Amino acid sequence: MPAKIKTAFFCQNCGYESSKWMGQCPSCHEWNTMVEEMVKPEPKNKRVALGSGMSVHAASSVDAAPKSLSQIELGQEDRSDTHIGELNRVLGGGLVRGSLTLVGGDPGIGKSTLLLQVARNMSDDGHAILYISGEESLRQIKLRANRIGTFTDNLKFLCETNLSTIEAVITKDKPEIVIIDSIQTMFNEDVSSAPGSVSQVRETTAVLLRIAKSMNVSIFIVGHVTKEGTVAGPRVLEHMVDTVLYFEGDRHASYRILRGVKNRFGSTNEIGVFEMRQDGLAEVANPSEFMLDGRPEDASGSIVTCSVEGTRPILLEIQALVCRTSFGFPRRQANGTDYNRVNLLMAVLEKRVGLQMADCDAYVNLAGGMKLQEPALDLGICLAVISSFKNKPIDSSVVAFGEVGLSGEVRSVSMTEQRVMEAKKLGFKTIILPKAYENKLKDTKGLEIIGVRSLQDAMKIF
């Protein structure tokens, strides 16, 4: 008599397991995320994976005695140069040996192209690299690789989706770096569900984590993203890996932004800026100049502000358009920044400055496709809205940044000195910033520093 098929319900967002279907996941409280999958009973003698990447059999043969901090030797992390400065910045200085890195992004954004360039650069240094593709044939990979350049024999390619075969190849060839493209196409024979399901993605990543830690192999895994912009599969996937990188940007535009949202070996606030060209991705050494390219002259509703991502100050243009509405209810729209924050700032302008915009449509855009949430953008957004409402252009040599409170006050922000130096480097002459830093800056020769305490003070530039 055949064994009865056992099923369970898993949350696609967080991986929560339940014996019955529920409309709302009790773990992450998301609605309609429970999916049914078959569960294969595990044999009693099967090895159970541990969080450290070792099996039960392996753990029983080692010394499991706990150690104090004084007994733990702390050596310098073994990092390898990827020869892509923007990627090194996001990774925290280079690729760490034995790390597991997840790269997510929209289809066609350039994830595979970036990793293929990394593989080419590091294979030129003598690193043994294995590129495993579950989505493309070897001929398709070669056609894409011919656009990038020449490759050495240190880089090997494999088209395979069976995790057991992949593990055997890695054990035999012992590469230093492995690239898995993509995690949703891989399947583990011990899991009965289909490739790309919650169970398969979770268990496959657990095996790759064990391989990375036990064999000291650096592994990149490519992950597809959902319509909400997060990596498809359970959220526990992001908790398992060492580093999570997101590729952002419009696939039809030339720019790309690589953002680190998790990094156990460095900062999580760094970004890298790339430009998509015919021969692959090229680094953008000066993002500020790139973001300001094509800025209009003497146009109302436009001002330059400065945001800080990690340790890098970036100048970008804020555009605002305020016009009389043709409907009974005014429309508000924000592109690149928080929509609710824009509504809040417009309410502050109406209450504290006296601008009557209740019958006006308002549109705010961060030119260049950047997506930023930093409070330092507040003053720039307010001045751009005022400029468009009054139809008075702001001098193109002005840069403004600062946080705006509900009382209309302009509060201080971090790294003011670096923001001012970035504006000076690109030739801006006037800096509008919080009053608290007006007399604390050092090298201000050739700059006009205007400190403001409130939006009423900032209005005087008009």
Side-chain angles (χ1 to χ4, degrees), residues 281-391:
L281 289 163
E283 301 176 64
V284 178
N286 193 339
S288 298
E289 187 175 359
F290 182 76
M291 295 297 173
L292 296 177
D293 187 29
R295 182 179 172 229
E297 298 290 338
D298 298 327
S300 62
S302 173
I303 192 172
V304 175
T305 188
C306 186
S307 177
V308 172
E309 291 292 317
T311 58
R312 165 183 278 173
I314 298 178
L315 295 179
L316 67 155
E317 179 190 3
I318 295 180
Q319 297 175 333
L321 178 62
V322 180
C323 55
R324 298 294 176 185
T325 182
S326 301
F327 307 95
F329 188 78
R331 183 180 181 185
R332 307 287 167 82
Q333 184 173 334
N335 183 26
T337 188
D338 187 15
Y339 166 79
N340 294 321
R341 187 69 179 176
V342 172
N343 279 336
L344 184 148
L345 293 174
M346 294 192 65
V348 172
L349 289 174
E350 290 201 18
K351 179 71 173 180
R352 306 301 178 187
V353 183
L355 298 183
Q356 300 301 321
M357 296 183 290
D359 58 345
C360 294
D361 293 336
Y363 307 89
V364 175
N365 174 50
L366 299 189
M370 293 285 286
K371 295 180 180 179
L372 302 173
Q373 307 285 341
E374 195 191 10
L377 304 178
D378 291 353
L379 183 58
I381 293 174
C382 289
L383 292 178
V385 169
I386 296 172
S387 172
S388 179
F389 181 77
K390 292 181 172 292
N391 199 25

Side-chain angles (χ1 to χ4, degrees), residues 62-373:
V62 299
D63 184 11
K67 296 182 179 180
S68 64
L69 286 177
S70 60
Q71 295 176 306
I72 301 175
E73 296 182 1
L74 184 62
Q76 188 174 4
E77 294 169 350
D78 186 10
R79 293 183 181 267
S80 301
D81 186 8
T82 64
H83 296 284
I84 301 179
E86 295 296 296
L87 178 59
N88 287 340
R89 170 192 288 269
V90 178
L91 290 175
L95 180 62
V96 178
R97 289 292 300 271
S99 62
L100 183 62
T101 303
L102 172 64
V103 182
D106 295 327
I109 201 71
K111 304 182 297 296
S112 301
T113 301
L114 175 65
L115 294 179
L116 196 58
Q117 290 183 223
V118 171
R120 183 195 64 176
N121 294 343
M122 302 191 73
S123 64
D124 290 342
D125 284 348
H127 296 282
I129 301 176
L130 178 60
Y131 190 107
I132 302 172
S133 176
E135 299 179 342
E136 296 178 297
S137 66
L138 293 177
R139 292 175 59 87
Q140 288 176 309
I141 296 176
K142 186 170 183 177
L143 289 173
R144 184 159 51 88
N146 288 337
R147 301 197 306 265
I148 297 177
T150 58
F151 291 78
T152 66
D153 293 337
N154 293 324
L155 174 59
K156 305 293 184 181
F157 294 92
L158 175 67
C159 290
E160 184 58 61
T161 57
N162 191 322
L163 192 61
S164 300
T165 304
I166 292 173
E167 184 175 3
V169 172
I170 294 176
T171 304
K172 178 183 176 181
D173 293 352
K174 294 181 173 57
E176 299 177 49
I177 301 169
V178 175
I179 298 173
I180 305 292
D181 187 8
S182 65
I183 189 64
Q184 277 80 13
T185 61
M186 303 296 153
F187 73 92
N188 189 341
E189 292 178 333
D190 295 332
V191 182
S192 58
S193 57
S197 63
V198 175
S199 301
Q200 283 285 3
V201 170
R202 181 179 57 203
E203 297 302 323
T204 301
T205 304
V207 173
L208 293 175
L209 179 63
R210 174 176 57 82
I211 294 174
K213 302 305 179 183
S214 61
M215 301 181 61
N216 201 27
V217 177
S218 301
I219 299 180
F220 285 99
I221 57 177
V222 176
H224 297 308
V225 297
T226 62
K227 61 182 180 179
E228 289 82 14
T230 58
V231 175
R235 201 58 186 265
V236 70
L237 178 63
E238 297 187 2
H239 299 306
M240 297 170 66
V241 301
D242 297 311
T243 307
V244 180
L245 307 179
Y246 276 106
F247 231 177
E248 301 175 354
D250 186 355
R251 59 178 297 186
H252 302 293
S254 62
Y255 57 85
R256 302 287 189 272
I257 298 172
L258 184 66
R259 188 184 303 273
V261 297
K262 175 187 177 182
N263 192 352
R264 289 175 177 161
F265 311 109
S267 173
T268 58
N269 298 318
E270 297 289 354
I271 66 168
V273 183
F274 297 87
E275 182 182 5
M276 178 61 79
R277 298 178 182 175
Q278 188 175 0
D279 57 347
L281 289 163
E283 301 176 64
V284 178
N286 193 339
S288 298
E289 187 175 359
F290 182 76
M291 295 297 173
L292 296 177
D293 187 29
R295 182 179 172 229
E297 298 290 338
D298 298 327
S300 62
S302 173
I303 192 172
V304 175
T305 188
C306 186
S307 177
V308 172
E309 291 292 317
T311 58
R312 165 183 278 173
I314 298 178
L315 295 179
L316 67 155
E317 179 190 3
I318 295 180
Q319 297 175 333
L321 178 62
V322 180
C323 55
R324 298 294 176 185
T325 182
S326 301
F327 307 95
F329 188 78
R331 183 180 181 185
R332 307 287 167 82
Q333 184 173 334
N335 183 26
T337 188
D338 187 15
Y339 166 79
N340 294 321
R341 187 69 179 176
V342 172
N343 279 336
L344 184 148
L345 293 174
M346 294 192 65
V348 172
L349 289 174
E350 290 201 18
K351 179 71 173 180
R352 306 301 178 187
V353 183
L355 298 183
Q356 300 301 321
M357 296 183 290
D359 58 345
C360 294
D361 293 336
Y363 307 89
V364 175
N365 174 50
L366 299 189
M370 293 285 286
K371 295 180 180 179
L372 302 173
Q373 307 285 341

Side-chain angles (χ1 to χ4, degrees), residues 348 352-353 378-379 382-383 401-413 431-440 449-461:
V348 172
R352 306 301 178 187
V353 183
D378 291 353
L379 183 58
C382 289
L383 292 178
F401 58 85
E403 180 182 359
V404 176
L406 295 182
S407 299
E409 77 279 10
V410 179
R411 297 175 174 269
S412 59
V413 294
I431 313 295
I432 303 176
L433 44 70
K435 186 73 172 181
Y437 285 98
E438 184 178 14
N439 299 319
K440 295 182 180 180
I449 305 297
I450 301 177
V452 294
R453 298 185 185 276
S454 63
L455 287 176
Q456 289 83 351
D457 295 341
M459 284 280 291
K460 296 177 181 178
I461 68 171

